[in-house]
Amino acid sequence: MRKRKSKLFRVICGIVAAAAVTATVPTLYADTLDDLKEKQEELRREQEELEKKSDDLQNKKDVTQEEIDALEKQLKELLDKINELDVQASELTAQIFETNQKLDEQIAIQNRQYNEMKLRIQYMYENQNADVAETFISSGSMADLLNSMEYYQKIYDYDRGKLDEIEATRREIEDLKGRLEVELEEIKKAEEEMNQRRAEVAELVSQKEDYLSSINSDLANNAGRIADAQSEIDKNSAAIAEEEERIRQAELERQRRAAEEAAARVAAASSSGRSYSGGSSSGGSSSGGSVSLESSYGSGTAARVADYASRGISSHPATYGWCAAWVSGVYAMAGVTPPHGDAYQYWVKWSYSGGPAGTSIPIGSCVIFAPSAANGGYGHIGIYVGGNMIAHNGGGVRIQDIQTVANWTGGAYVGWVWPNGQPLN
């Protein structure tokens, strides 16, 4: 009896050891994959910072361009005003020139009138006695004499009045010329100030354009850095995908080896007439002790899955918290492509291939329970072995009815699916 137990113990230890050895294969790449993912996060953070910098630069560019547009608008307004002042100055210059001509003409008229008046006055004074005598002699009466004398006075008064009129006109022209010259001086002063302001605004525009050029250069450089970062991210993504594929292939190889070694040990135990225990059970309608290696499910893949599940044959140990991994290992041992994912993800991904709670459950399918605080939010999963019983990993292989498992996990039974969404024969 002890010898039989010792041999059986060695078989079980061999299976566990093989699973433990092969389970370490993916961890050879774990550090590399973690490093790659950490690097990916750093690259993404760097890219986000670069993109934020580009946004800031773009905002500065937009603000600077608005300032340049406003300054150029001021320049245009200043140029329009300067042109307007130039026109006014030209008009005033023409008016001053015309006024000067009129003034010269008026002075000439005044001089001519003054000279003519002098000649007449000189004539009257030089010939006063003879004219008066002649007037007395030729006058037929006193009235004629008075009229003659009045005539001389009128000539004098006319000349004098004409001179006064010409003088007044000349002064008006001189006053007009003075006003025009003052106005012209003011316009020239305003034009000078406008030109100075235009030079200042033009300098501001030049400075802003230099700053805008600097921003554009920074934007171009930053865009290059973003492109480089994206290139690094793409390369790192490819490296991550390559590493994950390497891990996946290593996992498949581990499962293949574990399946071969476990099958060999099961075959050895079966040929010697021994029994195989899949692990401890507890609670509900759990099976206990050893279960016969001879299958009672008949032939077919689904029957083989149920048989392996009920006997705890899996390429993954029944470690607490790894229910989905254990189920995947059962399918792998039974020759089915092992499904992957958290327990409830089986339902999310493949519910189309199964049915909700209350529908008939086929042998060998996955039975899924909803997430709850008790199962860490991942849900729970087992394999249906018939008679409303499921085989599952509850920190050891357990065979219990659905309600007992639901009570234990704290998550309601939601339904069943086929692994990878593919029915088993």
Side-chain angles (χ1 to χ4, degrees):
M1 181 67 178
R2 177 174 296 181
K3 184 176 180 182
R4 180 182 299 176
K5 288 184 177 180
S6 176
K7 185 175 181 180
L8 179 60
F9 179 76
R10 287 197 299 273
V11 171
I12 295 172
C13 288
I15 295 173
V16 173
V21 169
T22 54
T24 62
V25 173
T27 63
L28 295 174
Y29 309 100
D31 290 342
T32 301
L33 184 59
D34 289 343
D35 291 343
L36 288 171
K37 288 183 176 180
E38 183 178 352
K39 180 181 178 182
Q40 191 79 333
E41 289 300 318
E42 291 176 357
L43 288 170
R44 292 195 184 280
R45 283 195 296 271
E46 179 183 351
Q47 187 182 46
E48 288 175 0
E49 290 174 358
L50 290 171
E51 289 173 349
K52 183 178 182 300
K53 183 178 179 181
S54 284
D55 291 340
D56 293 340
L57 288 170
Q58 186 62 50
N59 290 335
K60 290 180 180 179
K61 177 181 177 180
D62 293 341
V63 170
T64 303
Q65 187 61 58
E66 289 176 0
E67 292 174 345
I68 290 174
D69 293 342
L71 289 170
E72 287 181 341
K73 182 180 179 182
Q74 287 185 38
L75 271 180
K76 184 179 181 304
E77 292 172 352
L78 287 169
L79 285 171
D80 292 342
K81 187 65 176 176
I82 289 170
N83 290 334
E84 182 181 340
L85 291 172
D86 282 339
V87 172
Q88 292 178 11
S90 297
E91 292 175 352
L92 283 172
T93 300
Q95 290 180 30
I96 290 172
F97 179 77
E98 183 180 349
T99 302
N100 282 329
Q101 285 183 326
K102 288 181 179 180
L103 184 60
D104 292 340
E105 291 174 1
Q106 199 66 26
I107 291 173
I109 292 171
Q110 185 181 27
N111 290 334
R112 186 171 62 250
Q113 184 66 28
Y114 179 71
N115 290 331
E116 290 176 357
M117 179 181 175
K118 282 198 306 181
L119 288 173
R120 281 193 286 271
I121 292 173
Q122 182 181 359
Y123 175 80
M124 285 189 296
Y125 276 101
E126 288 177 351
N127 300 283
Q128 182 175 9
N129 294 332
D131 288 342
V132 171
E134 185 179 351
T135 299
F136 272 109
I137 293 170
S138 62
S139 295
S141 64
M142 182 59 70
D144 290 337
L145 178 62
L146 292 174
N147 286 334
S148 296
M149 296 301 293
E150 185 179 356
Y151 171 74
Y152 285 117
Q153 183 64 39
K154 285 181 177 181
I155 291 175
Y156 174 78
D157 290 342
Y158 171 79
D159 285 336
R160 187 68 212 177
K162 198 65 177 175
L163 276 175
D164 291 341
E165 181 183 337
I166 293 171
E167 177 67 14
T169 302
R170 183 182 66 79
R171 287 180 179 177
E172 287 178 2
I173 294 173
E174 287 180 345
D175 290 343
L176 176 60
K177 176 184 176 183
R179 290 195 302 271
L180 291 174
E181 287 176 345
V182 169
E183 188 174 350
L184 179 60
E185 186 65 26
E186 290 175 351
I187 288 175
K188 287 183 177 179
K189 183 177 179 182
E191 190 173 3
E192 183 180 348
E193 291 175 354
M194 290 291 178
N195 280 317
Q196 183 177 353
R197 176 60 182 158
R198 185 185 68 171
E200 292 172 355
V201 174
E203 178 62 23
L204 283 175
V205 170
S206 177
Q207 292 175 2
K208 293 293 183 182
E209 287 177 342
D210 289 344
Y211 181 55
L212 183 62
S213 177
S214 174
I215 291 175
N216 285 330
S217 177
D218 290 343
L219 274 171
N221 291 336
N222 210 58
R225 294 179 64 189
I226 290 174
D228 291 342
Q230 185 60 53
S231 177
E232 286 296 315
I233 288 172
D234 293 342
K235 290 178 182 178
N236 207 59
S237 295
I240 289 174
E242 182 179 349
E243 194 66 19
E244 287 176 340
E245 177 62 19
R246 188 181 303 175
I247 292 173
R248 190 181 74 82
Q249 292 297 332
E251 170 66 11
L252 291 176
E253 178 64 16
R254 181 189 70 79
Q255 292 175 358
R256 186 188 67 77
R257 290 180 182 177
E260 290 177 352
E261 293 173 0
R265 284 164 176 74
V266 169
S270 179
S271 64
S272 63
R274 301 293 184 266
S275 60
Y276 172 70
S277 174
S280 61
S281 303
S282 62
S285 302
S286 171
S287 65
S290 300
V291 180
S292 173
L293 287 170
E294 296 180 2
S295 173
S296 60
Y297 289 99
S299 61
T301 305
R304 184 163 63 252
V305 168
D307 178 38
Y308 280 31
S310 65
R311 293 191 287 162
I313 300 176
S314 172
S315 60
H316 194 286
T319 306
Y320 183 80
W322 293 84
C323 58
W326 181 82
V327 166
S328 178
V330 171
Y331 283 114
M333 293 294 289
V336 178
T337 301
H340 295 286
D342 296 332
Y344 193 71
Q345 286 180 356
Y346 278 55
W347 176 256
V348 173
K349 291 192 290 187
W350 302 312
S351 59
Y352 63 86
S353 69
T359 58
S360 178
I361 310 173
I363 295 292
S365 63
C366 307
V367 179
I368 302 161
F369 298 84
S372 70
N375 56 43
Y378 297 105
H380 190 64
I381 190 170
I383 296 175
Y384 189 69
V385 296
N388 199 41
M389 306 293 283
I390 68 168
H392 67 106
N393 170 15
V397 179
R398 302 183 181 191
I399 301 177
Q400 298 172 303
D401 63 85
I402 291 176
Q403 188 56 52
T404 299
V405 178
N407 293 339
W408 176 71
T409 65
Y413 164 57
V414 293
W416 63 273
V417 300
W418 287 113
N420 301 312
Q422 300 296 322
L424 302 179
N425 58 12

